[in-house]
Amino acid sequence: MSAGGATGAATPSASVTRVVVRLKLSLLRNGLRQSGGRRAAFITSAVIALLYALLQLAGLILWRGHAHVATVAVLAVAVLALGWAVMPLFFPSGDETLDPTRLVMLPLRPRPLVRALLTASLVGIGPLFTILVLTGCVISVAHGTAAYVVAVAGLVLAVLVCLALARAVAAANIRLLTSRKGRDLAVLSGLVIAVGAQLVNFGMQRLGSAGLGRLDPAVAVVRWVPPASAVGAVDSASRGSYGAAAAQLLLTAVALAALLGVWARSLTRLMTSPDASTLQTAGTASRERGATGGGLARLLPSGRTGTVMERSLRYVWRDPKTKAAWVTSLAIGMIVPVFNALQGTGSAYFACFAAGMLGVQMYNQFGQDTSAFWMVALTISSSHDAYVELRGRALALLAITLPYAVLVTVVTTALLGDWERLPEVMGLSSALLGAMLATGAWASARFPYSIPQEGYKNVAPGQAGLAWISIFGGMVAAALLCSPFIALVIWANVSASGADWSWLLLPTGAVYGAALALLGLRLAAPRTAARLPEILAAVSKG
């Protein structure tokens, strides 16, 4: 009875694993059959990823015997694990089997499902890439028979920890990831990548001057953090510290068991509890309305101007594409001047980058509304209505941009110790922002285009030319409008008497920028009122 029971218990588990692996292969195969472009993209990305992984493998092996090879290997595994942890949050649709809610109606138990999904996770470019890089990491630090034995066990444990980590994170957050907030997070992934690239670049420049030895204190801690502890175990075995190697392997195994347990509990909860992520009590709804409505409205002007400002600020907070554009501009507007100042290669004038990045948000104002613009169009019956609409949008942008530009300018000049340039940089930022408000309002009326709400595209098919003309043409026009003030700044720096009057550049730039903005809004208003049907058709496309 017991043997038969054991056989009967093992057979369903094995069959579930086979079915899930076949399902993963079928999803991959059917996805490639959809179009030739998708096949070409998959093959290209696979070739590039595998070539890069092979180069990493060869480079790590060639580094064997280097004084700091263990530092590189341990940190490489830590970075890989971090990537496996965050990628499901940003790209939840990249692997259909990451969503366990697709299986909740099937008569499956969590434990066999964990084994099946973990096995299926080995199928794909990402796992193969990880295996190749991890192989190079363990080989680079392995010396001696004992170390190679530990390397085999460490390699298996490290791969499984990476896969289990991704699955546990995805299962614990799957209902968030499939909700609107999850889509917001996915849209913001580009920002994280951009910021991360800047941080990596900054770190690499620091290491280039200080050497890898500067990382040794950090690596001494990271080598005990799974799955980097698996490579740390191989290095410990190579040094003859077999007790430390055993402890690090055990720590990795315990982490794997813990991740599998968390994953199994998340699957149990998903399969047995209702989805309450979109349920909302009346009290919660009223609190959200009060937090996002009444409090904000009291701070804004009355009438249509305040209504337009509130609507625009709500878009910034709630619309995924608008939020992504704003957060990206805010981050890059700070990163570029501050990081250059920290590296000692910056200039106080780099602070104008903040005003330029945020000023771009004035372009294609009506395209941000998409097909909902028809409700706005119904309220515009004259040039005055169009002017008030554009003015409200510009004031909403200024409510964020002006204090932010001041903050970036002050921080940049403080880091550089170049306080004497603060007035002229502030004045130049004000003039640039005013010019971009002017050209952005005019371009919004003359070259509107639609922004698709789904996916990662920011321009509807067939409208890329309009987007290029609107943004880059407007930026060139803004630069031309700023040229008189730029000439004044140059005169103040090269003239013998200009330094005495440089403090006037701040109020002069503010007045000049305000005049440009008002003139641009006045000129764009009649064009907006006259072209409402064309604007509505353009922003509703796609």
Side-chain angles (χ1 to χ4, degrees):
M1 290 293 292
S2 61
T7 304
T11 301
S13 177
S15 63
V16 170
T17 301
R18 286 196 298 270
V19 169
V20 173
V21 172
R22 290 173 58 190
L23 174 64
K24 178 72 175 286
L25 293 172
S26 297
L27 289 171
L28 181 61
R29 182 173 58 253
N30 293 337
L32 296 177
R33 287 177 177 175
Q34 290 183 2
S35 66
R38 186 164 183 172
R39 285 194 299 273
F42 177 83
I43 293 172
T44 303
S45 61
V47 171
I48 293 174
L50 293 180
L51 283 177
Y52 183 75
L54 290 173
L55 288 174
Q56 293 293 312
L57 172 63
L60 287 166
I61 293 175
L62 291 174
W63 254 45
R64 277 172 55 86
H66 191 278
H68 297 290
V69 67
T71 299
V72 175
V74 169
L75 291 180
V77 178
V79 171
L80 272 178
L82 180 63
W84 278 99
V86 301
M87 283 302 106
L89 298 177
F90 294 142
F91 305 103
S93 59
D95 184 355
E96 290 85 348
T97 60
L98 280 175
D99 186 358
T101 58
R102 299 171 183 262
L103 309 173
V104 296
M105 299 302 293
L106 300 177
L108 299 173
R109 293 185 178 277
R111 297 287 178 181
L113 188 57
V114 165
R115 288 191 290 269
L117 291 175
L118 185 61
T119 305
S121 299
L122 293 169
V123 178
I125 301 173
L128 181 56
F129 175 89
T130 302
I131 291 172
L132 290 174
V133 175
L134 289 176
T135 301
C137 290
V138 297
I139 292 177
S140 65
V141 297
H143 300 280
T145 304
Y148 277 105
V149 172
V150 174
V152 174
L155 175 61
V156 174
L157 286 174
V159 172
L160 293 179
V161 167
C162 289
L163 298 178
L165 179 60
R167 293 290 182 168
V169 170
N173 298 278
I174 192 62
R175 283 177 174 165
L176 169 65
L177 297 176
T178 54
S179 66
R180 174 182 169 181
K181 291 183 178 179
R183 291 192 293 271
D184 290 357
L185 186 64
V187 170
L188 292 176
S189 60
L191 168 64
V192 176
I193 294 172
V195 174
Q198 290 291 336
L199 292 174
V200 169
N201 179 51
F202 181 67
M204 293 299 293
Q205 290 184 359
R206 290 288 183 179
L207 286 178
S209 59
L212 290 173
R214 191 170 184 176
L215 295 174
D216 288 343
V219 173
V221 176
V222 175
R223 65 188 293 121
W224 289 93
V225 178
S229 55
V231 176
V234 180
D235 184 53
S236 297
S238 299
R239 299 172 184 271
S241 302
Y242 300 116
Q248 288 167 319
L249 274 184
L250 179 61
L251 185 60
T252 309
V254 170
L256 176 60
L259 287 171
L260 293 177
V262 171
W263 184 11
R265 284 194 295 273
S266 298
L267 290 177
T268 302
R269 186 174 64 252
L270 289 170
M271 292 179 171
T272 58
S273 62
D275 184 3
S277 61
T278 58
L279 298 181
Q280 191 176 40
T281 64
T284 304
S286 63
R287 284 194 301 271
E288 288 190 359
R289 285 194 296 270
T292 58
L296 178 61
R298 286 193 295 268
L299 300 175
L300 300 177
S302 59
R304 176 166 183 157
T305 299
T307 303
V308 174
M309 290 181 66
E310 183 177 1
R311 185 205 323 135
S312 299
L313 293 174
R314 283 180 181 271
Y315 278 158
V316 174
W317 182 252
R318 293 184 175 182
D319 181 63
K321 288 295 183 70
T322 306
K323 182 189 295 185
W326 270 94
V327 174
T328 302
S329 297
L330 287 168
I332 297 179
M334 175 69 79
I335 286 172
V336 170
V338 169
F339 272 51
N340 278 280
L342 289 173
Q343 295 174 28
T345 59
S347 166
Y349 294 105
F350 280 14
C352 297
F353 204 82
M357 288 297 299
L358 296 181
V360 173
Q361 304 307 316
M362 188 63 189
Y363 293 84
N364 196 35
Q365 278 290 309
F366 307 127
Q368 298 173 10
D369 299 352
T370 62
S371 57
F373 177 70
W374 71 270
M375 292 186 290
V376 177
L378 290 176
T379 66
I380 298 177
S381 58
S382 64
S383 296
H384 176 72
D385 293 337
Y387 172 74
V388 176
E389 175 72 24
L390 288 170
R391 184 182 63 187
R393 293 173 183 249
L395 289 174
L397 187 145
L398 286 174
I400 301 174
T401 304
L402 274 180
Y404 186 75
V406 171
L407 173 65
V408 173
T409 304
V410 171
V411 170
T412 303
T413 51
L415 290 173
L416 294 171
D418 197 9
W419 291 104
E420 62 273 11
R421 297 198 183 277
L422 180 62
E424 59 191 74
V425 174
M426 292 280 292
L428 186 57
S429 293
S430 301
L432 175 62
L433 184 58
M436 297 192 78
L437 289 176
T439 56
W442 190 86
S444 296
R446 183 63 183 85
F447 303 108
Y449 57 92
S450 179
I451 301 176
Q453 293 300 295
E454 300 296 331
Y456 296 92
K457 293 183 179 180
N458 290 317
V459 182
Q463 294 186 326
L466 284 174
W468 278 89
I469 295 174
S470 174
I471 296 177
F472 290 99
M475 291 173 67
V476 171
L480 293 175
L481 290 175
C482 283
S483 57
F485 188 80
I486 294 174
L488 184 61
V489 172
I490 294 174
W491 172 82
N493 281 273
V494 300
S495 173
S497 59
D500 299 331
W501 301 96
S502 61
W503 63 272
L504 287 174
L505 291 174
L506 174 54
T508 303
V511 171
Y512 184 71
L516 287 179
L518 288 174
L519 179 62
L521 293 174
R522 289 289 184 186
L523 294 176
R527 183 173 290 273
T528 300
R531 300 190 72 248
L532 280 179
E534 292 90 341
I535 295 173
L536 181 59
V539 302
S540 301
K541 184 178 180 180

